[in-house]
Structures are given as structure tokens and as C-alpha cells.
Amino acid sequence: MLFWLSLLPFATGWMGQNHFTETPVALYGVILLMASVAWYILGQKVVKNEGTESKVGKAYQKDLKTKLSMLIYSLAVAIAFFQPIVSCVIYILIAAAWFIPDKRIEKAIEN
């Protein structure tokens, strides 16, 4: 996951230098998508390590937010080749959605 995140400054700079043209915006989305995939894999590995009946396992059984993010990132990458600004807005909206606290962990710990 850190590898994909380390590529964000390059993609961000490239987008800025090229005034948000199709290819840099699509590459930015691919990097975000791959970071999201890495996050999903990390969560699955944690659940496998802790067990599905553990508190963490129960919290991550329905990881809808990550799965939905990956799907939307994929769509935004495709959209980038036609409407790059729309893709940028989608990237911002997904980031904003992740600022909303995820209550799964807190609920699992309380039970």
C-alpha cells in the first residue's frame, strides 16, 4: 500500500503540469485504485490472522466502503479518458467519504 501511496506526488505533479488532461488523471485514478486494492488485501490478511470470529473479523465482514470505493475508482479511471474533471470530482468525493468515521471497529470493540 505504501508503494502506491508513494506514487501519488508524481501523479499529482503530472496532473498539475498538464492541466488535468486525460492520461495523468487516469494514472492518478489507477494509483488510487491500487492503493484501495492494497487496503482491501491488508484488511483480509488481518481478518485471516485474527480469525473471522474475532472482533476485527466481525467488523470487516461487510467491508462495503472499500469495495464500493474500488468500483467507483475503476469507473472514474474510465471516465478520465472522456471527462477528466469529472473523474477528479469523483476522486474528491471518495476521499471525502473516507473522512466520515467508520463505526465498524468501535461497534465491534463495544460488543
Side-chain angles (χ1 to χ4, degrees), residues 65 91-100:
K65 195 174 189 181
Y91 302 151
I92 291 168
L93 292 174
I94 295 172
W98 280 95
F99 277 109
I100 300 169

Side-chain angles (χ1 to χ4, degrees), residues 40-92:
Y40 178 76
I41 292 169
L42 178 65
Q44 294 303 307
K45 293 293 184 183
V46 169
V47 169
K48 185 177 180 182
N49 186 49
E50 296 294 320
T52 57
E53 296 302 316
S54 69
K55 291 181 179 184
V56 173
K58 290 178 183 177
Y60 275 93
Q61 280 179 343
K62 298 178 183 177
D63 195 8
L64 183 64
K65 195 174 189 181
T66 302
K67 291 176 185 175
L68 192 58
S69 294
M70 289 188 295
L71 174 67
I72 296 171
Y73 279 137
S74 299
L75 293 173
V77 168
I79 292 170
F81 292 105
F82 305 102
Q83 293 290 328
I85 297 302
V86 172
S87 289
C88 290
V89 170
I90 292 170
Y91 302 151
I92 291 168

